[in-house]
Amino acid sequence: VAVMLAAHKLKAGAGNGEKILFMAPTKPLTVQHEKSFKRFMTIPEEEIVSVTGAISPKKRQDLYEGATVITATAQTIESDLLNGRLNLKDFALVIFDEAHRAVGEYAYVFINLQLQKQNPDALVVALTASPGSGEEKIQDVCKNLSIKNIEIKEHDDEDVKPYVNEIQADWVMVDLP
């Protein structure tokens, strides 16, 4: 979903220098998303980069300038916003993966506040498999990410059913010493 939306936004804004920011909470997820973008997008691979705290601040700043699609850890983006290494004005689309984390002091909350100040017209998409156990938590996440519309899909929805595999579990009882 995120890759298709990113491709659409880039095509719609072709030549405008717009960028896509896809954030995840961990380095392995960030790298995984970078690989997905490289696999499915038709833009040059060198324009799709992964940015984490393992990369020096100067190198990150250079990557931001040269990239079209940036996958990054939220903590790195927060740090670079705080230190003036990144501005969100050129991002047409900002995606928050594992969006249920957007509560309290988590980096997503600060990043979205900066996005709303620097670029209120950017499209925000929040993805999560576990939005929260109650309406109050979900509403808190929506408020913190400026989300106006929610789409919930479950395994038995008609448009999802064909893609759900049945899970088979074999229970093996083990006597512990």
Side-chain angles (χ1 to χ4, degrees):
V1 171
V3 172
M4 287 177 38
L5 185 55
H8 173 75
K9 290 298 280 182
L10 290 175
K11 184 177 181 182
N16 294 341
E18 292 182 333
K19 298 175 182 278
I20 307 296
L21 176 60
F22 190 111
M23 287 171 288
T26 65
K27 182 179 177 180
L29 267 177
T30 297
V31 172
Q32 176 185 331
H33 293 308
E34 175 193 21
K35 288 177 182 174
S36 294
F37 275 98
K38 285 181 175 178
R39 180 174 172 208
F40 296 114
M41 298 285 286
T42 58
I43 63 174
E45 281 195 10
E46 61 272 9
E47 291 182 28
I48 302 169
V49 300
S50 180
V51 177
T52 69
I55 300 170
S56 74
K58 174 63 178 130
K59 174 84 170 152
R60 292 196 307 260
Q61 195 166 7
D62 293 342
L63 288 171
Y64 294 139
E65 291 172 12
T68 301
V69 176
I70 299 161
T71 65
T73 57
Q75 294 80 3
T76 303
I77 295 299
E78 179 181 44
S79 173
D80 289 344
L81 285 168
L82 286 167
N83 291 295
R85 287 185 287 271
L86 177 64
N87 187 302
L88 300 172
K89 66 180 175 30
D90 294 329
F91 289 93
L93 172 64
V94 176
I95 303 161
F96 296 90
D97 191 25
E98 302 289 334
H100 58 276
R101 295 174 179 255
V103 294
E105 298 293 317
Y106 191 70
Y108 283 172
V109 178
F110 173 78
I111 293 165
N112 186 61
L113 286 172
Q114 295 307 303
L115 179 65
Q116 297 311 310
K117 289 177 187 173
Q118 297 176 18
N119 187 0
D121 294 328
L123 179 61
V124 172
V125 174
L127 305 171
T128 184
S130 49
S133 58
E135 185 176 341
E136 187 176 325
K137 168 83 187 303
I138 294 170
Q139 290 298 332
D140 195 27
V141 170
C142 289
K143 179 181 72 80
N144 290 338
L145 295 180
S146 305
I147 300 296
K148 295 175 182 73
N149 300 305
I150 300 172
E151 181 75 29
I152 297 174
K153 292 291 179 182
E154 297 189 6
H155 68 279
D156 57 351
D157 288 342
E158 288 303 317
D159 58 342
V160 176
K161 250 186 210 179
Y163 305 100
V164 176
N165 296 315
E166 226 178 281
I167 297 173
Q168 179 182 340
D170 293 325
W171 289 89
V172 178
M173 302 305 284
V174 178
D175 291 326
L176 297 175

PDB file of all heavy atoms in Angstrom, residues 136-169:
ATOM      1  N   GLU A 136     -10.172   5.136  22.821  1.00  0.00           N
ATOM      2  CA  GLU A 136      -9.398   6.266  23.337  1.00  0.00           C
ATOM      3  C   GLU A 136      -7.957   6.231  22.838  1.00  0.00           C
ATOM      4  O   GLU A 136      -7.401   7.248  22.417  1.00  0.00           O
ATOM      5  CB  GLU A 136      -9.433   6.276  24.869  1.00  0.00           C
ATOM      6  CG  GLU A 136      -8.787   7.505  25.473  1.00  0.00           C
ATOM      7  CD  GLU A 136      -8.918   7.528  27.003  1.00  0.00           C
ATOM      8  OE1 GLU A 136      -9.946   7.066  27.522  1.00  0.00           O
ATOM      9  OE2 GLU A 136      -7.970   8.012  27.635  1.00  0.00           O
ATOM     10  N   LYS A 137      -7.329   5.058  22.866  1.00  0.00           N
ATOM     11  CA  LYS A 137      -5.943   4.905  22.386  1.00  0.00           C
ATOM     12  C   LYS A 137      -5.868   5.192  20.887  1.00  0.00           C
ATOM     13  O   LYS A 137      -4.973   5.900  20.416  1.00  0.00           O
ATOM     14  CB  LYS A 137      -5.437   3.489  22.682  1.00  0.00           C
ATOM     15  CG  LYS A 137      -4.135   3.117  21.990  1.00  0.00           C
ATOM     16  CD  LYS A 137      -2.919   3.597  22.731  1.00  0.00           C
ATOM     17  CE  LYS A 137      -1.616   3.406  22.036  1.00  0.00           C
ATOM     18  NZ  LYS A 137      -1.125   2.200  21.585  1.00  0.00           N
ATOM     19  N   ILE A 138      -6.824   4.689  20.131  1.00  0.00           N
ATOM     20  CA  ILE A 138      -6.840   4.917  18.688  1.00  0.00           C
ATOM     21  C   ILE A 138      -7.022   6.400  18.388  1.00  0.00           C
ATOM     22  O   ILE A 138      -6.329   6.963  17.536  1.00  0.00           O
ATOM     23  CB  ILE A 138      -7.929   4.064  18.012  1.00  0.00           C
ATOM     24  CG1 ILE A 138      -7.578   2.580  18.152  1.00  0.00           C
ATOM     25  CG2 ILE A 138      -8.092   4.445  16.549  1.00  0.00           C
ATOM     26  CD1 ILE A 138      -8.680   1.630  17.743  1.00  0.00           C
ATOM     27  N   GLN A 139      -7.907   7.056  19.110  1.00  0.00           N
ATOM     28  CA  GLN A 139      -8.129   8.490  18.916  1.00  0.00           C
ATOM     29  C   GLN A 139      -6.882   9.299  19.276  1.00  0.00           C
ATOM     30  O   GLN A 139      -6.579  10.301  18.626  1.00  0.00           O
ATOM     31  CB  GLN A 139      -9.338   8.971  19.733  1.00  0.00           C
ATOM     32  CG  GLN A 139     -10.664   8.466  19.230  1.00  0.00           C
ATOM     33  CD  GLN A 139     -10.976   8.927  17.809  1.00  0.00           C
ATOM     34  OE1 GLN A 139     -10.530   9.971  17.348  1.00  0.00           O
ATOM     35  NE2 GLN A 139     -11.747   8.129  17.092  1.00  0.00           N
ATOM     36  N   ASP A 140      -6.164   8.857  20.301  1.00  0.00           N
ATOM     37  CA  ASP A 140      -4.923   9.529  20.698  1.00  0.00           C
ATOM     38  C   ASP A 140      -3.893   9.439  19.566  1.00  0.00           C
ATOM     39  O   ASP A 140      -3.248  10.441  19.218  1.00  0.00           O
ATOM     40  CB  ASP A 140      -4.385   8.900  21.981  1.00  0.00           C
ATOM     41  CG  ASP A 140      -3.318   9.744  22.655  1.00  0.00           C
ATOM     42  OD1 ASP A 140      -3.327  10.979  22.480  1.00  0.00           O
ATOM     43  OD2 ASP A 140      -2.480   9.159  23.370  1.00  0.00           O
ATOM     44  N   VAL A 141      -3.745   8.258  18.976  1.00  0.00           N
ATOM     45  CA  VAL A 141      -2.816   8.079  17.854  1.00  0.00           C
ATOM     46  C   VAL A 141      -3.246   8.962  16.684  1.00  0.00           C
ATOM     47  O   VAL A 141      -2.417   9.641  16.076  1.00  0.00           O
ATOM     48  CB  VAL A 141      -2.737   6.594  17.435  1.00  0.00           C
ATOM     49  CG1 VAL A 141      -1.982   6.434  16.119  1.00  0.00           C
ATOM     50  CG2 VAL A 141      -2.081   5.766  18.529  1.00  0.00           C
ATOM     51  N   CYS A 142      -4.531   8.961  16.386  1.00  0.00           N
ATOM     52  CA  CYS A 142      -5.043   9.789  15.275  1.00  0.00           C
ATOM     53  C   CYS A 142      -4.750  11.271  15.513  1.00  0.00           C
ATOM     54  O   CYS A 142      -4.310  11.978  14.598  1.00  0.00           O
ATOM     55  CB  CYS A 142      -6.542   9.572  15.093  1.00  0.00           C
ATOM     56  SG  CYS A 142      -6.954   7.959  14.412  1.00  0.00           S
ATOM     57  N   LYS A 143      -4.983  11.730  16.725  1.00  0.00           N
ATOM     58  CA  LYS A 143      -4.709  13.139  17.058  1.00  0.00           C
ATOM     59  C   LYS A 143      -3.221  13.440  16.911  1.00  0.00           C
ATOM     60  O   LYS A 143      -2.830  14.444  16.321  1.00  0.00           O
ATOM     61  CB  LYS A 143      -5.178  13.437  18.483  1.00  0.00           C
ATOM     62  CG  LYS A 143      -4.906  14.875  18.939  1.00  0.00           C
ATOM     63  CD  LYS A 143      -5.351  15.133  20.356  1.00  0.00           C
ATOM     64  CE  LYS A 143      -4.536  14.501  21.394  1.00  0.00           C
ATOM     65  NZ  LYS A 143      -3.302  15.009  21.849  1.00  0.00           N
ATOM     66  N   ASN A 144      -2.379  12.558  17.424  1.00  0.00           N
ATOM     67  CA  ASN A 144      -0.933  12.785  17.407  1.00  0.00           C
ATOM     68  C   ASN A 144      -0.330  12.745  16.007  1.00  0.00           C
ATOM     69  O   ASN A 144       0.763  13.282  15.781  1.00  0.00           O
ATOM     70  CB  ASN A 144      -0.223  11.779  18.303  1.00  0.00           C
ATOM     71  CG  ASN A 144      -0.507  12.027  19.764  1.00  0.00           C
ATOM     72  OD1 ASN A 144      -0.872  13.130  20.162  1.00  0.00           O
ATOM     73  ND2 ASN A 144      -0.367  10.993  20.574  1.00  0.00           N
ATOM     74  N   LEU A 145      -1.030  12.107  15.055  1.00  0.00           N
ATOM     75  CA  LEU A 145      -0.524  12.023  13.683  1.00  0.00           C
ATOM     76  C   LEU A 145      -1.400  12.796  12.696  1.00  0.00           C
ATOM     77  O   LEU A 145      -1.237  12.660  11.481  1.00  0.00           O
ATOM     78  CB  LEU A 145      -0.403  10.560  13.248  1.00  0.00           C
ATOM     79  CG  LEU A 145       0.625   9.725  14.017  1.00  0.00           C
ATOM     80  CD1 LEU A 145       0.646   8.302  13.500  1.00  0.00           C
ATOM     81  CD2 LEU A 145       2.007  10.352  13.942  1.00  0.00           C
ATOM     82  N   SER A 146      -2.329  13.585  13.218  1.00  0.00           N
ATOM     83  CA  SER A 146      -3.231  14.392  12.372  1.00  0.00           C
ATOM     84  C   SER A 146      -4.003  13.527  11.373  1.00  0.00           C
ATOM     85  O   SER A 146      -4.209  13.914  10.223  1.00  0.00           O
ATOM     86  CB  SER A 146      -2.456  15.478  11.619  1.00  0.00           C
ATOM     87  OG  SER A 146      -1.723  16.274  12.524  1.00  0.00           O
ATOM     88  N   ILE A 147      -4.427  12.360  11.812  1.00  0.00           N
ATOM     89  CA  ILE A 147      -5.161  11.422  10.965  1.00  0.00           C
ATOM     90  C   ILE A 147      -6.648  11.764  11.013  1.00  0.00           C
ATOM     91  O   ILE A 147      -7.223  11.900  12.086  1.00  0.00           O
ATOM     92  CB  ILE A 147      -4.951   9.959  11.444  1.00  0.00           C
ATOM     93  CG1 ILE A 147      -3.469   9.589  11.390  1.00  0.00           C
ATOM     94  CG2 ILE A 147      -5.811   8.987  10.652  1.00  0.00           C
ATOM     95  CD1 ILE A 147      -2.861   9.577  10.018  1.00  0.00           C
ATOM     96  N   LYS A 148      -7.246  11.872   9.832  1.00  0.00           N
ATOM     97  CA  LYS A 148      -8.664  12.215   9.747  1.00  0.00           C
ATOM     98  C   LYS A 148      -9.537  11.028   9.334  1.00  0.00           C
ATOM     99  O   LYS A 148     -10.706  10.969   9.663  1.00  0.00           O
ATOM    100  CB  LYS A 148      -8.859  13.363   8.769  1.00  0.00           C
ATOM    101  CG  LYS A 148      -8.213  14.662   9.237  1.00  0.00           C
ATOM    102  CD  LYS A 148      -8.332  15.748   8.182  1.00  0.00           C
ATOM    103  CE  LYS A 148      -7.663  17.022   8.597  1.00  0.00           C
ATOM    104  NZ  LYS A 148      -6.225  16.983   8.570  1.00  0.00           N
ATOM    105  N   ASN A 149      -8.985  10.106   8.578  1.00  0.00           N
ATOM    106  CA  ASN A 149      -9.741   8.951   8.093  1.00  0.00           C
ATOM    107  C   ASN A 149      -9.048   7.661   8.522  1.00  0.00           C
ATOM    108  O   ASN A 149      -7.825   7.558   8.437  1.00  0.00           O
ATOM    109  CB  ASN A 149      -9.854   8.972   6.566  1.00  0.00           C
ATOM    110  CG  ASN A 149     -10.567  10.213   6.079  1.00  0.00           C
ATOM    111  OD1 ASN A 149     -11.677  10.492   6.499  1.00  0.00           O
ATOM    112  ND2 ASN A 149      -9.914  10.964   5.210  1.00  0.00           N
ATOM    113  N   ILE A 150      -9.844   6.687   8.925  1.00  0.00           N
ATOM    114  CA  ILE A 150      -9.315   5.398   9.358  1.00  0.00           C
ATOM    115  C   ILE A 150      -9.918   4.305   8.484  1.00  0.00           C
ATOM    116  O   ILE A 150     -11.117   4.300   8.220  1.00  0.00           O
ATOM    117  CB  ILE A 150      -9.689   5.104  10.831  1.00  0.00           C
ATOM    118  CG1 ILE A 150      -9.135   6.176  11.754  1.00  0.00           C
ATOM    119  CG2 ILE A 150      -9.188   3.723  11.236  1.00  0.00           C
ATOM    120  CD1 ILE A 150      -9.627   6.046  13.189  1.00  0.00           C
ATOM    121  N   GLU A 151      -9.081   3.396   8.047  1.00  0.00           N
ATOM    122  CA  GLU A 151      -9.527   2.211   7.306  1.00  0.00           C
ATOM    123  C   GLU A 151      -9.042   1.002   8.085  1.00  0.00           C
ATOM    124  O   GLU A 151      -7.838   0.824   8.277  1.00  0.00           O
ATOM    125  CB  GLU A 151      -8.928   2.216   5.900  1.00  0.00           C
ATOM    126  CG  GLU A 151      -9.336   1.055   5.049  1.00  0.00           C
ATOM    127  CD  GLU A 151     -10.760   1.163   4.519  1.00  0.00           C
ATOM    128  OE1 GLU A 151     -11.248   2.299   4.332  1.00  0.00           O
ATOM    129  OE2 GLU A 151     -11.377   0.108   4.288  1.00  0.00           O
ATOM    130  N   ILE A 152      -9.987   0.196   8.541  1.00  0.00           N
ATOM    131  CA  ILE A 152      -9.642  -0.997   9.299  1.00  0.00           C
ATOM    132  C   ILE A 152      -9.984  -2.210   8.456  1.00  0.00           C
ATOM    133  O   ILE A 152     -11.089  -2.323   7.937  1.00  0.00           O
ATOM    134  CB  ILE A 152     -10.401  -1.045  10.647  1.00  0.00           C
ATOM    135  CG1 ILE A 152      -9.986   0.142  11.518  1.00  0.00           C
ATOM    136  CG2 ILE A 152     -10.143  -2.373  11.351  1.00  0.00           C
ATOM    137  CD1 ILE A 152     -10.775   0.273  12.800  1.00  0.00           C
ATOM    138  N   LYS A 153      -9.036  -3.109   8.326  1.00  0.00           N
ATOM    139  CA  LYS A 153      -9.237  -4.344   7.575  1.00  0.00           C
ATOM    140  C   LYS A 153      -9.011  -5.523   8.505  1.00  0.00           C
ATOM    141  O   LYS A 153      -8.050  -5.533   9.266  1.00  0.00           O
ATOM    142  CB  LYS A 153      -8.264  -4.423   6.390  1.00  0.00           C
ATOM    143  CG  LYS A 153      -8.540  -3.405   5.321  1.00  0.00           C
ATOM    144  CD  LYS A 153      -9.832  -3.741   4.632  1.00  0.00           C
ATOM    145  CE  LYS A 153     -10.190  -2.758   3.552  1.00  0.00           C
ATOM    146  NZ  LYS A 153     -11.475  -3.097   2.950  1.00  0.00           N
ATOM    147  N   GLU A 154      -9.886  -6.490   8.411  1.00  0.00           N
ATOM    148  CA  GLU A 154      -9.758  -7.705   9.213  1.00  0.00           C
ATOM    149  C   GLU A 154      -9.644  -8.908   8.300  1.00  0.00           C
ATOM    150  O   GLU A 154     -10.009  -8.833   7.119  1.00  0.00           O
ATOM    151  CB  GLU A 154     -10.952  -7.820  10.160  1.00  0.00           C
ATOM    152  CG  GLU A 154     -10.979  -6.666  11.156  1.00  0.00           C
ATOM    153  CD  GLU A 154     -12.016  -6.849  12.253  1.00  0.00           C
ATOM    154  OE1 GLU A 154     -12.646  -7.931  12.327  1.00  0.00           O
ATOM    155  OE2 GLU A 154     -12.179  -5.909  13.041  1.00  0.00           O
ATOM    156  N   HIS A 155      -9.174 -10.011   8.852  1.00  0.00           N
ATOM    157  CA  HIS A 155      -8.886 -11.191   8.037  1.00  0.00           C
ATOM    158  C   HIS A 155     -10.111 -11.759   7.329  1.00  0.00           C
ATOM    159  O   HIS A 155      -9.991 -12.409   6.306  1.00  0.00           O
ATOM    160  CB  HIS A 155      -8.198 -12.272   8.880  1.00  0.00           C
ATOM    161  CG  HIS A 155      -9.081 -12.883   9.919  1.00  0.00           C
ATOM    162  ND1 HIS A 155      -9.311 -12.280  11.132  1.00  0.00           N
ATOM    163  CD2 HIS A 155      -9.802 -14.020   9.911  1.00  0.00           C
ATOM    164  CE1 HIS A 155     -10.142 -13.033  11.837  1.00  0.00           C
ATOM    165  NE2 HIS A 155     -10.449 -14.082  11.121  1.00  0.00           N
ATOM    166  N   ASP A 156     -11.309 -11.492   7.816  1.00  0.00           N
ATOM    167  CA  ASP A 156     -12.496 -12.036   7.171  1.00  0.00           C
ATOM    168  C   ASP A 156     -13.208 -11.039   6.246  1.00  0.00           C
ATOM    169  O   ASP A 156     -14.274 -11.334   5.712  1.00  0.00           O
ATOM    170  CB  ASP A 156     -13.467 -12.608   8.207  1.00  0.00           C
ATOM    171  CG  ASP A 156     -13.891 -11.595   9.257  1.00  0.00           C
ATOM    172  OD1 ASP A 156     -13.311 -10.495   9.307  1.00  0.00           O
ATOM    173  OD2 ASP A 156     -14.816 -11.911  10.032  1.00  0.00           O
ATOM    174  N   ASP A 157     -12.613  -9.855   6.003  1.00  0.00           N
ATOM    175  CA  ASP A 157     -13.164  -8.908   5.037  1.00  0.00           C
ATOM    176  C   ASP A 157     -13.038  -9.511   3.628  1.00  0.00           C
ATOM    177  O   ASP A 157     -12.025 -10.134   3.297  1.00  0.00           O
ATOM    178  CB  ASP A 157     -12.430  -7.560   5.086  1.00  0.00           C
ATOM    179  CG  ASP A 157     -12.763  -6.760   6.339  1.00  0.00           C
ATOM    180  OD1 ASP A 157     -13.787  -7.069   6.986  1.00  0.00           O
ATOM    181  OD2 ASP A 157     -11.999  -5.827   6.658  1.00  0.00           O
ATOM    182  N   GLU A 158     -14.048  -9.301   2.805  1.00  0.00           N
ATOM    183  CA  GLU A 158     -14.090  -9.911   1.464  1.00  0.00           C
ATOM    184  C   GLU A 158     -12.867  -9.577   0.611  1.00  0.00           C
ATOM    185  O   GLU A 158     -12.391 -10.416  -0.137  1.00  0.00           O
ATOM    186  CB  GLU A 158     -15.376  -9.519   0.737  1.00  0.00           C
ATOM    187  CG  GLU A 158     -16.617 -10.190   1.301  1.00  0.00           C
ATOM    188  CD  GLU A 158     -16.544 -11.717   1.317  1.00  0.00           C
ATOM    189  OE1 GLU A 158     -16.077 -12.318   0.315  1.00  0.00           O
ATOM    190  OE2 GLU A 158     -16.929 -12.307   2.346  1.00  0.00           O
ATOM    191  N   ASP A 159     -12.354  -8.346   0.724  1.00  0.00           N
ATOM    192  CA  ASP A 159     -11.201  -7.977  -0.099  1.00  0.00           C
ATOM    193  C   ASP A 159      -9.869  -8.420   0.503  1.00  0.00           C
ATOM    194  O   ASP A 159      -8.829  -8.296  -0.124  1.00  0.00           O
ATOM    195  CB  ASP A 159     -11.187  -6.476  -0.390  1.00  0.00           C
ATOM    196  CG  ASP A 159     -11.173  -5.617   0.859  1.00  0.00           C
ATOM    197  OD1 ASP A 159     -11.516  -6.125   1.945  1.00  0.00           O
ATOM    198  OD2 ASP A 159     -10.815  -4.432   0.750  1.00  0.00           O
ATOM    199  N   VAL A 160      -9.912  -8.976   1.700  1.00  0.00           N
ATOM    200  CA  VAL A 160      -8.700  -9.449   2.363  1.00  0.00           C
ATOM    201  C   VAL A 160      -8.636 -10.980   2.348  1.00  0.00           C
ATOM    202  O   VAL A 160      -7.558 -11.565   2.218  1.00  0.00           O
ATOM    203  CB  VAL A 160      -8.639  -8.930   3.826  1.00  0.00           C
ATOM    204  CG1 VAL A 160      -7.441  -9.497   4.563  1.00  0.00           C
ATOM    205  CG2 VAL A 160      -8.603  -7.405   3.839  1.00  0.00           C
ATOM    206  N   LYS A 161      -9.782 -11.622   2.466  1.00  0.00           N
ATOM    207  CA  LYS A 161      -9.873 -13.085   2.567  1.00  0.00           C
ATOM    208  C   LYS A 161      -8.982 -13.858   1.591  1.00  0.00           C
ATOM    209  O   LYS A 161      -8.321 -14.810   2.009  1.00  0.00           O
ATOM    210  CB  LYS A 161     -11.329 -13.521   2.357  1.00  0.00           C
ATOM    211  CG  LYS A 161     -11.993 -14.045   3.588  1.00  0.00           C
ATOM    212  CD  LYS A 161     -13.361 -14.573   3.211  1.00  0.00           C
ATOM    213  CE  LYS A 161     -14.287 -14.404   4.385  1.00  0.00           C
ATOM    214  NZ  LYS A 161     -15.631 -14.869   4.096  1.00  0.00           N
ATOM    215  N   PRO A 162      -8.937 -13.476   0.322  1.00  0.00           N
ATOM    216  CA  PRO A 162      -8.126 -14.269  -0.615  1.00  0.00           C
ATOM    217  C   PRO A 162      -6.630 -14.277  -0.284  1.00  0.00           C
ATOM    218  O   PRO A 162      -5.895 -15.119  -0.788  1.00  0.00           O
ATOM    219  CB  PRO A 162      -8.360 -13.585  -1.972  1.00  0.00           C
ATOM    220  CG  PRO A 162      -9.566 -12.745  -1.811  1.00  0.00           C
ATOM    221  CD  PRO A 162      -9.662 -12.408  -0.360  1.00  0.00           C
ATOM    222  N   TYR A 163      -6.178 -13.348   0.540  1.00  0.00           N
ATOM    223  CA  TYR A 163      -4.745 -13.234   0.831  1.00  0.00           C
ATOM    224  C   TYR A 163      -4.355 -13.771   2.200  1.00  0.00           C
ATOM    225  O   TYR A 163      -3.191 -13.712   2.592  1.00  0.00           O
ATOM    226  CB  TYR A 163      -4.316 -11.764   0.711  1.00  0.00           C
ATOM    227  CG  TYR A 163      -4.668 -11.187  -0.630  1.00  0.00           C
ATOM    228  CD1 TYR A 163      -5.795 -10.391  -0.796  1.00  0.00           C
ATOM    229  CD2 TYR A 163      -3.893 -11.480  -1.745  1.00  0.00           C
ATOM    230  CE1 TYR A 163      -6.137  -9.877  -2.040  1.00  0.00           C
ATOM    231  CE2 TYR A 163      -4.227 -10.975  -2.995  1.00  0.00           C
ATOM    232  CZ  TYR A 163      -5.357 -10.179  -3.131  1.00  0.00           C
ATOM    233  OH  TYR A 163      -5.693  -9.685  -4.356  1.00  0.00           O
ATOM    234  N   VAL A 164      -5.338 -14.287   2.918  1.00  0.00           N
ATOM    235  CA  VAL A 164      -5.082 -14.795   4.266  1.00  0.00           C
ATOM    236  C   VAL A 164      -4.860 -16.301   4.187  1.00  0.00           C
ATOM    237  O   VAL A 164      -5.666 -17.034   3.613  1.00  0.00           O
ATOM    238  CB  VAL A 164      -6.259 -14.468   5.215  1.00  0.00           C
ATOM    239  CG1 VAL A 164      -6.032 -15.093   6.585  1.00  0.00           C
ATOM    240  CG2 VAL A 164      -6.434 -12.962   5.327  1.00  0.00           C
ATOM    241  N   ASN A 165      -3.777 -16.744   4.771  1.00  0.00           N
ATOM    242  CA  ASN A 165      -3.491 -18.179   4.829  1.00  0.00           C
ATOM    243  C   ASN A 165      -3.919 -18.723   6.175  1.00  0.00           C
ATOM    244  O   ASN A 165      -3.720 -18.072   7.208  1.00  0.00           O
ATOM    245  CB  ASN A 165      -1.998 -18.437   4.625  1.00  0.00           C
ATOM    246  CG  ASN A 165      -1.539 -18.024   3.252  1.00  0.00           C
ATOM    247  OD1 ASN A 165      -2.193 -18.313   2.262  1.00  0.00           O
ATOM    248  ND2 ASN A 165      -0.415 -17.324   3.188  1.00  0.00           N
ATOM    249  N   GLU A 166      -4.489 -19.895   6.136  1.00  0.00           N
ATOM    250  CA  GLU A 166      -4.884 -20.527   7.384  1.00  0.00           C
ATOM    251  C   GLU A 166      -3.634 -20.912   8.167  1.00  0.00           C
ATOM    252  O   GLU A 166      -2.638 -21.339   7.590  1.00  0.00           O
ATOM    253  CB  GLU A 166      -5.718 -21.787   7.094  1.00  0.00           C
ATOM    254  CG  GLU A 166      -6.951 -21.877   7.944  1.00  0.00           C
ATOM    255  CD  GLU A 166      -7.788 -23.085   7.607  1.00  0.00           C
ATOM    256  OE1 GLU A 166      -8.516 -23.013   6.605  1.00  0.00           O
ATOM    257  OE2 GLU A 166      -7.688 -24.073   8.352  1.00  0.00           O
ATOM    258  N   ILE A 167      -3.711 -20.756   9.451  1.00  0.00           N
ATOM    259  CA  ILE A 167      -2.582 -21.105  10.305  1.00  0.00           C
ATOM    260  C   ILE A 167      -2.846 -22.478  10.909  1.00  0.00           C
ATOM    261  O   ILE A 167      -3.921 -22.738  11.460  1.00  0.00           O
ATOM    262  CB  ILE A 167      -2.397 -20.067  11.429  1.00  0.00           C
ATOM    263  CG1 ILE A 167      -2.068 -18.707  10.820  1.00  0.00           C
ATOM    264  CG2 ILE A 167      -1.303 -20.513  12.390  1.00  0.00           C
ATOM    265  CD1 ILE A 167      -2.038 -17.575  11.828  1.00  0.00           C
ATOM    266  N   GLN A 168      -1.863 -23.333  10.771  1.00  0.00           N
ATOM    267  CA  GLN A 168      -1.974 -24.667  11.361  1.00  0.00           C
ATOM    268  C   GLN A 168      -0.988 -24.740  12.521  1.00  0.00           C
ATOM    269  O   GLN A 168       0.185 -24.404  12.360  1.00  0.00           O
ATOM    270  CB  GLN A 168      -1.645 -25.743  10.330  1.00  0.00           C
ATOM    271  CG  GLN A 168      -1.716 -27.142  10.908  1.00  0.00           C
ATOM    272  CD  GLN A 168      -1.337 -28.189   9.878  1.00  0.00           C
ATOM    273  OE1 GLN A 168      -1.377 -27.960   8.684  1.00  0.00           O
ATOM    274  NE2 GLN A 168      -0.949 -29.350  10.367  1.00  0.00           N
ATOM    275  N   ALA A 169      -1.481 -25.137  13.665  1.00  0.00           N
ATOM    276  CA  ALA A 169      -0.614 -25.244  14.844  1.00  0.00           C
ATOM    277  C   ALA A 169      -0.585 -26.695  15.318  1.00  0.00           C
ATOM    278  O   ALA A 169      -1.625 -27.348  15.420  1.00  0.00           O
ATOM    279  CB  ALA A 169      -1.127 -24.351  15.955  1.00  0.00           C
TER     280      ALA A 169
END
